[in-house]
Amino acid sequence: QVQLVESGGGLVQAGGSLRLSCAASGFTFSRYAMGWFRQAPGKAREFVGAITVSGSNTYYTDSVKGRFTISRDNSKNTMYLQMNSLRPEDTAVYYCAARWYNGVTLVAYTANEYEYWGQGTQVTVSS
């Protein structure tokens, strides 16, 4: 049974930091590119960043570049999202997602390209 379980969300003041984790099971984690998305109330789910199967390359949306860092540990079947200098506009439910690496496309940027999803974890940044 495929599972992605996010953890680490919470309430933090603006300027603070949080580290999210995404624990994977039920599939070969090291063969899947991974992504982070977020969804704020009343807004569409948006791409935050992604990481290649090996972890050697990461990609971010412009609004989080320089503040967020994605990493993965294939030996632990876990992906991470380190979030620094948090802003109130970062408030959202954060989701991790997995996409099979087909040998061509390193990562994907749209939600419908990902096959597996976690249940999400709430991040709230107070001003």
Side-chain angles (χ1 to χ4, degrees):
Q1 180 182 358
V2 171
Q3 275 196 311
L4 291 172
V5 180
E6 301 96 336
S7 61
L11 174 63
V12 64
Q13 287 189 330
S17 299
L18 282 174
R19 188 194 196 205
L20 306 185
S21 297
C22 171
S25 61
F27 64 100
T28 306
F29 182 73
S30 60
R31 298 299 302 273
Y32 282 72
M34 300 296 294
W36 285 100
F37 288 77
R38 65 186 180 186
Q39 188 166 18
K43 295 188 176 181
R45 190 168 297 190
E46 68 168 344
F47 174 80
V48 174
I51 188 166
T52 54
V53 293
S54 66
S56 58
N57 294 93
T58 52
Y59 306 84
Y60 302 94
T61 192
D62 286 346
S63 63
V64 308
K65 282 180 182 176
R67 301 188 298 123
F68 290 12
T69 303
I70 297 173
S71 60
R72 66 189 293 166
D73 186 340
N74 286 347
S75 69
K76 296 182 179 179
N77 289 351
T78 302
M79 175 180 63
Y80 306 96
L81 179 64
Q82 177 67 45
M83 304 186 294
N84 298 329
S85 302
L86 282 162
R87 305 167 180 168
E89 54 264 38
D90 294 319
T91 295
V93 177
Y94 282 71
Y95 299 89
C96 65
R99 182 184 190 276
W100 167 259
Y101 175 54
N102 60 12
V104 177
T105 305
L106 291 177
V107 295
Y109 299 89
T110 59
N112 61 8
E113 295 182 89
Y114 286 80
E115 294 141 38
Y116 304 135
W117 288 85
Q119 82 291 346
T121 186
Q122 177 70 48
V123 171
T124 302
V125 184
S126 63
S127 56

